PDB file of all heavy atoms in Angstrom:
ATOM      1  N   ASP E 310     180.843  53.420  28.194  1.00 98.00           N
ATOM      2  CA  ASP E 310     179.882  52.985  29.221  1.00 98.00           C
ATOM      3  C   ASP E 310     180.417  51.798  30.009  1.00 98.00           C
ATOM      4  O   ASP E 310     179.717  50.815  30.260  1.00 98.00           O
ATOM      5  CB  ASP E 310     178.529  52.636  28.574  1.00 98.00           C
ATOM      6  CG  ASP E 310     177.411  52.581  29.628  1.00 98.00           C
ATOM      7  OD1 ASP E 310     177.466  53.379  30.601  1.00 98.00           O
ATOM      8  OD2 ASP E 310     176.536  51.709  29.505  1.00 98.00           O
ATOM      9  N   TRP E 311     181.712  51.893  30.366  1.00 98.00           N
ATOM     10  CA  TRP E 311     182.361  50.856  31.147  1.00 98.00           C
ATOM     11  C   TRP E 311     182.477  51.268  32.605  1.00 98.00           C
ATOM     12  O   TRP E 311     182.344  52.463  32.936  1.00 98.00           O
ATOM     13  CB  TRP E 311     183.773  50.568  30.593  1.00 98.00           C
ATOM     14  CG  TRP E 311     183.793  49.920  29.236  1.00 98.00           C
ATOM     15  CD1 TRP E 311     182.729  49.445  28.518  1.00 98.00           C
ATOM     16  CD2 TRP E 311     184.955  49.682  28.436  1.00 98.00           C
ATOM     17  NE1 TRP E 311     183.153  48.934  27.317  1.00 98.00           N
ATOM     18  CE2 TRP E 311     184.514  49.052  27.239  1.00 98.00           C
ATOM     19  CE3 TRP E 311     186.322  49.932  28.602  1.00 98.00           C
ATOM     20  CZ2 TRP E 311     185.398  48.674  26.220  1.00 98.00           C
ATOM     21  CZ3 TRP E 311     187.200  49.561  27.588  1.00 98.00           C
ATOM     22  CH2 TRP E 311     186.729  48.937  26.413  1.00 98.00           C
ATOM     23  N   VAL E 312     182.778  50.296  33.490  1.00 98.00           N
ATOM     24  CA  VAL E 312     182.963  50.544  34.924  1.00 98.00           C
ATOM     25  C   VAL E 312     184.427  50.244  35.261  1.00 98.00           C
ATOM     26  O   VAL E 312     185.037  49.355  34.645  1.00 98.00           O
ATOM     27  CB  VAL E 312     182.042  49.619  35.753  1.00 98.00           C
ATOM     28  CG1 VAL E 312     182.303  49.758  37.249  1.00 98.00           C
ATOM     29  CG2 VAL E 312     180.568  49.921  35.436  1.00 98.00           C
ATOM     30  N   VAL E 313     185.004  50.968  36.210  1.00 98.00           N
ATOM     31  CA  VAL E 313     186.350  50.611  36.682  1.00 98.00           C
ATOM     32  C   VAL E 313     186.235  50.019  38.087  1.00 98.00           C
ATOM     33  O   VAL E 313     185.394  50.427  38.896  1.00 98.00           O
ATOM     34  CB  VAL E 313     187.331  51.806  36.684  1.00 98.00           C
ATOM     35  CG1 VAL E 313     187.629  52.258  35.270  1.00 98.00           C
ATOM     36  CG2 VAL E 313     186.846  52.945  37.554  1.00 98.00           C
ATOM     37  N   ALA E 314     187.104  49.046  38.385  1.00 98.00           N
ATOM     38  CA  ALA E 314     187.015  48.278  39.634  1.00 98.00           C
ATOM     39  C   ALA E 314     187.740  48.940  40.798  1.00 98.00           C
ATOM     40  O   ALA E 314     187.850  48.343  41.875  1.00 98.00           O
ATOM     41  CB  ALA E 314     187.580  46.880  39.423  1.00 98.00           C
ATOM     42  N   HIS E 315     188.248  50.171  40.560  1.00 98.00           N
ATOM     43  CA  HIS E 315     188.925  50.894  41.669  1.00 98.00           C
ATOM     44  C   HIS E 315     190.156  50.071  42.101  1.00 98.00           C
ATOM     45  O   HIS E 315     190.900  49.647  41.228  1.00 98.00           O
ATOM     46  CB  HIS E 315     187.913  51.100  42.794  1.00 98.00           C
ATOM     47  CG  HIS E 315     188.260  52.179  43.772  1.00 98.00           C
ATOM     48  ND1 HIS E 315     189.084  53.238  43.488  1.00 98.00           N
ATOM     49  CD2 HIS E 315     187.862  52.350  45.059  1.00 98.00           C
ATOM     50  CE1 HIS E 315     189.164  54.004  44.559  1.00 98.00           C
ATOM     51  NE2 HIS E 315     188.444  53.500  45.530  1.00 98.00           N
ATOM     52  N   ASP E 316     190.319  49.770  43.377  1.00 98.00           N
ATOM     53  CA  ASP E 316     191.518  48.998  43.777  1.00 98.00           C
ATOM     54  C   ASP E 316     191.245  47.503  43.868  1.00 98.00           C
ATOM     55  O   ASP E 316     192.115  46.736  44.303  1.00 98.00           O
ATOM     56  CB  ASP E 316     192.028  49.499  45.125  1.00 98.00           C
ATOM     57  CG  ASP E 316     191.028  49.254  46.255  1.00 98.00           C
ATOM     58  OD1 ASP E 316     189.810  49.274  45.978  1.00 98.00           O
ATOM     59  OD2 ASP E 316     191.455  49.021  47.392  1.00 98.00           O
ATOM     60  N   LEU E 317     190.063  47.069  43.497  1.00 98.00           N
ATOM     61  CA  LEU E 317     189.713  45.646  43.648  1.00 98.00           C
ATOM     62  C   LEU E 317     190.368  44.804  42.560  1.00 98.00           C
ATOM     63  O   LEU E 317     190.227  45.075  41.366  1.00 98.00           O
ATOM     64  CB  LEU E 317     188.192  45.472  43.599  1.00 98.00           C
ATOM     65  CG  LEU E 317     187.401  46.096  44.753  1.00 98.00           C
ATOM     66  CD1 LEU E 317     185.915  45.875  44.539  1.00 98.00           C
ATOM     67  CD2 LEU E 317     187.832  45.534  46.104  1.00 98.00           C
ATOM     68  N   LYS E 318     191.086  43.763  42.975  1.00 98.00           N
ATOM     69  CA  LYS E 318     191.659  42.805  42.038  1.00 98.00           C
ATOM     70  C   LYS E 318     190.514  42.032  41.370  1.00 98.00           C
ATOM     71  O   LYS E 318     189.402  42.002  41.921  1.00 98.00           O
ATOM     72  CB  LYS E 318     192.600  41.843  42.769  1.00 98.00           C
ATOM     73  CG  LYS E 318     193.840  42.500  43.389  1.00 98.00           C
ATOM     74  CD  LYS E 318     194.671  43.240  42.371  1.00 98.00           C
ATOM     75  CE  LYS E 318     194.606  44.721  42.525  1.00 98.00           C
ATOM     76  NZ  LYS E 318     195.085  45.535  41.441  1.00 98.00           N
ATOM     77  N   PRO E 319     190.770  41.395  40.251  1.00 98.00           N
ATOM     78  CA  PRO E 319     189.677  40.741  39.500  1.00 98.00           C
ATOM     79  C   PRO E 319     188.817  39.800  40.338  1.00 98.00           C
ATOM     80  O   PRO E 319     187.593  39.784  40.225  1.00 98.00           O
ATOM     81  CB  PRO E 319     190.426  39.999  38.394  1.00 98.00           C
ATOM     82  CG  PRO E 319     191.647  40.831  38.160  1.00 98.00           C
ATOM     83  CD  PRO E 319     192.043  41.342  39.501  1.00 98.00           C
ATOM     84  N   GLN E 320     189.455  39.026  41.242  1.00 98.00           N
ATOM     85  CA  GLN E 320     188.685  38.038  41.995  1.00 98.00           C
ATOM     86  C   GLN E 320     187.723  38.707  42.977  1.00 98.00           C
ATOM     87  O   GLN E 320     186.670  38.166  43.309  1.00 98.00           O
ATOM     88  CB  GLN E 320     189.602  37.053  42.736  1.00 98.00           C
ATOM     89  CG  GLN E 320     190.549  37.667  43.755  1.00 98.00           C
ATOM     90  CD  GLN E 320     191.873  38.120  43.191  1.00 98.00           C
ATOM     91  OE1 GLN E 320     191.980  38.407  42.003  1.00 98.00           O
ATOM     92  NE2 GLN E 320     192.913  38.205  44.028  1.00 98.00           N
ATOM     93  N   LYS E 321     188.088  39.905  43.456  1.00 98.00           N
ATOM     94  CA  LYS E 321     187.179  40.624  44.359  1.00 98.00           C
ATOM     95  C   LYS E 321     186.174  41.459  43.569  1.00 98.00           C
ATOM     96  O   LYS E 321     185.028  41.599  43.973  1.00 98.00           O
ATOM     97  CB  LYS E 321     187.974  41.500  45.334  1.00 98.00           C
ATOM     98  CG  LYS E 321     188.778  40.651  46.306  1.00 98.00           C
ATOM     99  CD  LYS E 321     189.054  41.378  47.601  1.00 98.00           C
ATOM    100  CE  LYS E 321     189.794  40.464  48.556  1.00 98.00           C
ATOM    101  NZ  LYS E 321     189.900  41.025  49.911  1.00 98.00           N
ATOM    102  N   ALA E 322     186.608  41.976  42.439  1.00 98.00           N
ATOM    103  CA  ALA E 322     185.687  42.720  41.575  1.00 98.00           C
ATOM    104  C   ALA E 322     184.537  41.809  41.143  1.00 98.00           C
ATOM    105  O   ALA E 322     183.385  42.239  41.050  1.00 98.00           O
ATOM    106  CB  ALA E 322     186.437  43.264  40.359  1.00 98.00           C
TER     107      ALA E 322
END
Side-chain angles (χ1 to χ4, degrees):
D310 197 35
W311 292 353
V312 175
V313 293
H315 200 24
D316 64 329
L317 294 178
K318 296 303 109 195
Q320 60 272 24
K321 292 206 177 189

